[in-house]
Amino acid sequence: MRDPYTVLGVAKSASDAEIKSAFRKLAKKYHPDANGDDASASTRFNEANQAYEILSDKDKRGQFDRGEIDAEGKPRFQGFSGGENPFASAGRGSTGGGFDFRSTGNRFGGGAGEGLFSDFFDQAFGGGRRGADSGFNAARNTPSKGEDIRATLKVRLEDVVSGEKVEAVFPNGKRLAIRLPAGVEDGQVIRLRGQGQPAVFAGGPAGDALVTIAFAEHPRFKVVGHDLELNQSVHLSDAVLGGRIMIETLDGRVSTRIQPWTNSGRTLRLKGKGLTRKDNTRGDILVTLQISLPAEPDAELIALMEKRQATVE
């Protein structure tokens, strides 16, 4: 994977706000809902998510900047600092540079050369310990973590507030039922530790499963943070005389009252009917009223309007 700063198009000195803004722009541009079956867009979307996962986490960002982890969040091999040749000052051989492994005994078979070679690897990999678990053997036998697996999960807004589990399907066919955390956002990456590929060598930890959440487009609501926006039709008689109207929310139908002589464009607020926040409270639904005429022509209404128009003239 590419450098996360390059992926998001920000400088290494970018603030948290700049990183979040850059991620949101890319997530919106390459969101699966906006790009159909475009595989390249899906790749860019997942790449942006992975980059944001590292740069939005203070600890991981610091580890990446120091070279301790790579662009996928995996530990880098921490070898010799400063790019120095570890053998440069250890001795000179007939080749004119580097380390001379020649010894008076068998080749790497117990002479002085082996001792120096073993000491070097003990210090580099084993902290000076001796025995079967020290030196080069310790580095070679260190358990390696399994590969991470990734999937994009489309969820309905109803799923976000229901608390019910949803199923993520991964490219390798694995299925995981997960419960969405409170306050989950569109484009958020959920890490399921130990649910990825098993380690290559016995004893190593399994990789993780990374699930990118993508909100499916809703037929009625527009998502604005944790609030929802809704356009609601109102009969002319209700707009003139006032009354109660029924509104479909994510939790079912609710009744609310509108005042007499209500104009189109007025907004009502249904508190606590929006999406969940991290503190388990919920946002609101903002209902914009739009006056609508009856589906079929109403003779009495037409006659009333004609009479009123004649009076005005």
Side-chain angles (χ1 to χ4, degrees), residues 3 5-6 9-19 55 61 65:
D3 181 296
Y5 291 102
T6 302
V10 297
K12 288 193 174 182
S13 59
S15 65
D16 292 342
E18 290 172 330
I19 289 172
L55 298 186
R61 183 178 180 182
D65 290 344

Side-chain angles (χ1 to χ4, degrees), residues 79-85:
F80 316 107
S81 61
E84 299 176 354
N85 180 354

Side-chain angles (χ1 to χ4, degrees), residues 155-162 215-216 218 221 223 228 250 275:
V155 298
R156 304 174 307 146
L157 298 185
E158 288 82 358
D159 297 326
V160 175
V161 302
S162 70
F215 289 176
H218 199 277
F221 295 111
V223 178
L228 300 174
L250 297 176
L275 300 180

Side-chain angles (χ1 to χ4, degrees), residues 178-192:
I178 64 174
R179 197 180 305 278
L180 299 176
V184 66
E185 297 182 358
D186 189 25
Q188 180 176 336
V189 177
I190 298 175
R191 180 182 290 272
L192 305 175

Side-chain angles (χ1 to χ4, degrees), residues 6 12 29 60 90 127 151 168 205 209 226 230 260 268 274 307:
T6 302
K12 288 193 174 182
K29 181 177 180 180
K60 288 184 179 180
H226 296 291
L230 169 68
L268 305 178
K307 180 178 179 181

Side-chain angles (χ1 to χ4, degrees), residues 101-139:
F101 290 113
R102 291 174 299 173
S103 69
T104 57
N106 293 332
R107 184 172 180 82
F108 300 111
E114 181 193 13
L116 292 173
F117 188 75
S118 299
D119 286 345
F120 165 72
F121 276 102
D122 278 343
Q123 292 174 17
F125 298 111
R129 294 181 294 114
R130 296 290 184 181
D133 294 330
S134 67
F136 185 74
N137 284 337

Side-chain angles (χ1 to χ4, degrees), residues 42-123:
S42 179
T43 299
R44 293 293 299 274
F45 183 76
N46 289 330
E47 190 178 43
N49 273 307
Q50 180 66 24
Y52 183 66
E53 183 188 4
I54 292 177
L55 298 186
S56 64
D57 185 302
K58 182 179 179 180
D59 293 336
K60 288 184 179 180
R61 183 178 180 182
Q63 290 173 335
F64 178 80
D65 290 344
R66 293 190 297 270
E68 296 170 5
I69 61 174
D70 62 18
E72 293 186 353
K74 297 178 180 179
R76 292 181 185 272
F77 168 68
Q78 298 296 307
F80 316 107
S81 61
E84 299 176 354
N85 180 354
F87 307 120
S89 61
R92 300 290 179 182
S94 59
T95 57
F99 196 95
D100 187 354
F101 290 113
R102 291 174 299 173
S103 69
T104 57
N106 293 332
R107 184 172 180 82
F108 300 111
E114 181 193 13
L116 292 173
F117 188 75
S118 299
D119 286 345
F120 165 72
F121 276 102
D122 278 343
Q123 292 174 17

